[in-house]
Each structure stands twice: as C-alpha cells, then as structure tokens.
Amino acid sequence: MPYTPGETAERLGVSIDTIRYYEKIGLLHGIRRTSAGRRIFSDDDLSRLGLLRCLRDSGMPIARLRRFAELLQLGDEGAEQRTALLEEHDREIDAKVERLRLEQKRVREKIAWYRSVAA
C-alpha cells in the first residue's frame, strides 16, 4: 500500500522533517516518487524506516546508521555485516541498561533517604 510522507510520519510517530533528514543524509534509498515528484512510501519503506528509527532511538550514532543503510542496499551480500553491526549495538544497549540500573539504584536510595528524613 502506498503512503504519503504525512501518513508515513504519523504511522512511525516521527515528523516529516525527520523523514526528509533521513533521506538527505543517505539513510533512505529508492523511495518512489509520483509523476509530480512527491515521495510515495511502501510497506517495505515503512518497515525499514521503523528499524532505522528504533536503532537511532536506542542510541546508534548516525555514522553507524549510514553504514547499516548501506549494508541494507547490498541485500543478502550485506547480511553477515548487518548482523555483526546489530550484535555490537545490542551489546552497547546492554551496557547502557546496566549503567541506568545502577543510576536508578542510586536514585532510589536517595528517595528512601529523603523519605526517612521527612518521617
């Protein structure tokens, strides 16, 4: 099913400017256009954009996102490298979650301390 940029943005929960930016920096390739030059997004485009957004939201740097997008263009040829890139990112997410859990523990300790002082 074809989607307009507005429909695409709404479905993904991003702004049209974000979609334009992703296209401008080379994350989106092969987006079809109407005879009037307007972009039309397919279900595959939405799926790819959703994955890129997930990776960005989970802290993947733009340079690595570009590399991932390049590897997507390679199809099956880039599968092994895409997998390695995603595994590395997954490890980084685990490390971030662990750091956040430690910080959360400190915050909770401080909450408990303030509650004990107020009591």
Side-chain angles (χ1 to χ4, degrees), residues 40-60:
I40 296 291
F41 296 87
S42 68
D43 287 320
D44 286 343
D45 296 328
L46 265 67
S47 177
R48 185 172 23 139
L49 260 168
L51 175 57
L52 292 170
R53 190 71 216 162
C54 167
L55 295 174
R56 184 67 187 134
D57 287 347
S58 61
M60 184 177 279

Side-chain angles (χ1 to χ4, degrees), residues 6-110:
E7 291 168 334
T8 300
E10 186 176 325
R11 283 180 168 267
L12 295 174
V14 300
S15 69
I16 292 175
D17 288 336
T18 297
I19 294 171
R20 285 186 192 120
Y21 175 69
Y22 279 15
E23 191 172 23
K24 179 181 175 184
I25 64 171
L27 296 181
L28 299 176
H29 302 282
I31 302 298
R32 291 183 310 141
R33 293 189 179 261
T34 66
S35 57
R38 291 198 169 97
R39 290 169 293 167
I40 296 291
F41 296 87
S42 68
D43 287 320
D44 286 343
D45 296 328
L46 265 67
S47 177
R48 185 172 23 139
L49 260 168
L51 175 57
L52 292 170
R53 190 71 216 162
C54 167
L55 295 174
R56 184 67 187 134
D57 287 347
S58 61
M60 184 177 279
I62 294 292
R64 206 172 319 157
L65 272 176
R66 281 189 188 126
R67 178 65 182 143
F68 186 79
E70 289 169 4
L71 293 169
L72 282 174
Q73 295 302 307
L74 297 176
D76 290 344
E77 282 181 47
E80 195 172 309
Q81 290 175 303
R82 282 193 308 271
T83 301
L85 195 147
L86 290 174
E87 288 172 339
E88 178 183 354
H89 185 62
D90 185 51
R91 287 189 298 274
E92 291 172 358
I93 291 171
D94 279 339
K96 285 179 190 176
V97 168
E98 180 61 29
R99 283 191 306 270
L100 282 172
R101 289 280 179 216
L102 290 172
E103 295 302 326
Q104 183 180 43
K105 182 181 175 199
R106 290 180 66 198
V107 168
R108 288 179 175 175
E109 288 169 355
K110 189 53 77 174

